[in-house]
Amino acid sequence: MSSAYYETGFARAMAEGLDNATAAASMADALLDGKPAGRATGIERLTAFWSSAFVREVPTQAWAQESLRLALARYLAQDEVAVPGLVAHLASQAPEALRWAARHAGLVRRPDSPRWREVEVLAASQPHEFAEFVQVFNVFRQAREERVAEVERVRAPLAGLTPLELLAYASLYAFEHIVPAQLEETAEGIERDTSLQVRWDAIDGVLAWKLATCDARDFQLDDAIIGRSLRAHLAPFLLPSSQEPPRRDLYAVFSALVGAQVELDEFDSRSADAFSYDDSICFVLRGSTLEIEEVDAEANRHWRLGEEKRLRLHGYWLYRGMHALVESPELLARVAPANLEANLQALAKAMAAWLCLQEVYGIEARVDTGSAAQVDVFNALMSIELMTAFYIEDFIRPFRDALQHSGHPWLALGTLAMSGFAQGENRLPLTWSEKAAKIARIMPWTATRDRPQGHPRAAEAILDFWTSDWEAMAASLRAGETDKCPRLQELPILKLGHHLFQLPWMQAMQDNRVAVINNLRRLGARRAQAREETRRIEQRLGDLFAGRGFKVLVGHALPVAPDPDAQVEEIDLLCARDGCLLVLELKSTFVRRSQKEAWFHRTSTLRKAGLQLRRKVAAVRRALVFDDALRSALGLDADDGPPEVTGWIVDTSIECDHQRFNGFLKVSLEEVLIALRDERRWLNDPDGLFGPSGGRKGAESRDGGCTVVDSLYPEGFSAGRFIGAVESGAVWADSAGSSRLASAQ
């Protein structure tokens, strides 16, 4: 495509009275929003925009605008297109903006990029502006290359192992380093400790390397091959009677590799990615070393508070799940009397995740996963939680008891394995079966009145829903398609050939609610049902507002400009009551784990949402002047004057919570939901289930018509009080009215 689209748009903006800088920023916004839409590729749009004549005429001060900087970062982040002279021009006109874009393009991890080489040469021609900047990059480059080289050196002796054999060493490592540490953190051994997550991620990285480099024959497994591999690489550590000596040399190498991978991953996340995407800190060169200085304590605090909110939301949904389970006699009747308490906990967690999926993510009872049959989502959740309960009861607890007695993880694992053999069960630190056997185990969990024995096709759909095909994943990794690859915890059943493997140490401790959300929202983002789910989010939230007395319009279309030929856009939700009108822009994505992911969310989805909401709020204000039907539908009387209009970005993610985009507040959908339902008490752990404090004093409540002590609306609900509760962060306050979270909003 040519530059005509951006040139014409720039000229039109100037003709409408915008200044040069604002007109250029509007075209940068168009580029970032993927315009022009159609057959043009992202690379073609980048080429057209940066080849436009007005880019060279933008005044220096204009480069302080985020949209132009983000557009420049996007150009520097790719290697396919070079616009001659662009970097040199910006180096002279807007050196600070060029440095910002080079950072946020992630070039510190791509030192061989031709875009970086264009910046690097500036150290000689403009040393005052770029010499130290380039030196900082070189320090990062050397440090990362050292860590990459160490990983490659350490893993060389493991090159001949198969993925299965590496899984055996990963399981030994987990039971030595991860499980005991997790058991010390919490008696239940379920809540993940952040400091241990880095080891999980390192094992993920080691296994991904193996899949990307292994032979296709490594997936052609049968019982004899599995037996030989585990007799050589697993059994000798656990069973003193084994004929083979334990390969302590390979285990030592594996342990060293995990350590080296942790070092590399930590460098990438805490140094390289922090340099690129964490604007709360800066890196300062002191001689030949880099030191971190905090420049925005508030942003850093927001990130930490986001983590605390996420933990409290986990508790909220579990309380909801327990209450829903108590009110479901039919579901309670399905609980087997054996291991009753563990199974009840599993069902409560499944119900908690199911309520969250329905109310926050718009998931229906059955979803299409691409296989022959749809999967029943609640049964899939119940199945994975019952598997987790099984591994806790039959693996983790006996291992803990044996470890306390023996004092060494190998002896404890050996005791566990021998007890399993005596019962005819596999109690090794990794388990496997053929698909038919696994379906037979899951079938009872799909039982209905009509089919009390369960349904094999339903069980197979559940199994497929949670299964990662490692042969297909290996092909994706070799093709460089890493974004399509699931993390271990997202699809915890591993298919190698005709066998399905599970890792008891991981299955017992992972967060299945996050796993299912990311299964559907990250890995399944392009599912045909995703658009319908977004519409259901709007409708279900609209129903909650209507239940609170709001007049609600869902997906109401309005022209976004006074021009009769103007584009029409849908307003996700319009909610009116008590002279207040809420204009809501809803966004639904997945659960993020890093500041890098959060930065991309902030600068893409949320930035765009702010621009959309600005247009839509203006459109709503115009329409209220002349559109009698709209005022009537919203219950607004013209004699009462214009309503007080409030626009919010309502997002399923917690990142960037209570920040503003184009002047509009971003809040989590869960916060809005909790405020509408007036259920702050369940955020405050009233029964003391999740900590030693015994709950937050005064947060207890009695249902069944009694007054709730911890109400957000002690003087009654109104639109103004609801808006005030959300905007002040009162949802996150404890019952006494004080809150570190609320005060930091």
Side-chain angles (χ1 to χ4, degrees), residues 132-151:
E132 182 173 323
F133 184 68
V134 169
Q135 190 178 352
V136 168
F137 269 66
N138 288 337
V139 172
F140 273 110
R141 177 176 189 165
Q142 180 179 352
R144 190 171 196 277
E145 286 177 349
E146 290 172 357
R147 288 163 173 77
V148 170
E150 178 64 8
V151 168

Side-chain angles (χ1 to χ4, degrees), residues 113-260:
S113 164
R115 300 291 80 75
W116 169 245
R117 289 196 288 270
E118 290 182 57
V119 176
E120 192 174 26
V121 300
L122 299 172
S125 60
Q126 294 179 241
H128 178 71
E129 297 287 358
F130 289 97
E132 182 173 323
F133 184 68
V134 169
Q135 190 178 352
V136 168
F137 269 66
N138 288 337
V139 172
F140 273 110
R141 177 176 189 165
Q142 180 179 352
R144 190 171 196 277
E145 286 177 349
E146 290 172 357
R147 288 163 173 77
V148 170
E150 178 64 8
V151 168
E152 292 175 347
R153 182 191 69 79
V154 173
R155 70 188 180 194
L158 304 177
L161 295 183
T162 66
L164 171 60
E165 291 160 353
L166 212 63
L167 272 179
Y169 288 107
S171 298
L172 288 170
Y173 180 91
F175 275 96
E176 181 179 14
H177 296 286
I178 297 178
V179 175
Q182 194 76 58
L183 290 172
E184 290 177 6
E185 282 296 318
T186 167
E188 294 300 317
I190 297 171
E191 294 297 337
R192 295 178 303 162
D193 176 52
T194 304
S195 64
L196 295 176
Q197 184 64 44
V198 294
R199 292 186 178 183
W200 290 46
D201 293 341
I203 291 173
D204 234 350
V206 169
L207 293 172
W209 157 72
K210 175 53 61 178
L211 289 179
T213 57
C214 70
D215 193 287
R217 291 172 295 182
D218 292 339
F219 299 105
Q220 298 171 8
L221 301 178
D222 56 30
D223 289 337
I225 293 173
I226 294 171
R228 281 197 304 272
S229 288
L230 298 187
R231 278 195 298 273
H233 297 282
L234 182 62
F237 288 89
L238 315 183
L239 308 173
S241 60
S242 174
Q243 297 178 351
E244 300 286 342
R247 292 298 305 271
R248 297 185 187 278
D249 58 331
L250 292 179
Y251 178 69
V253 171
F254 181 86
S255 298
L257 177 55
V258 172

Side-chain angles (χ1 to χ4, degrees), residues 534-546:
T534 300
R535 178 62 71 186
R536 279 194 292 272
I537 295 170
E538 298 168 1
Q539 187 61 58
R540 288 170 180 173
L541 185 59
D543 290 344
L544 270 180
F545 273 101

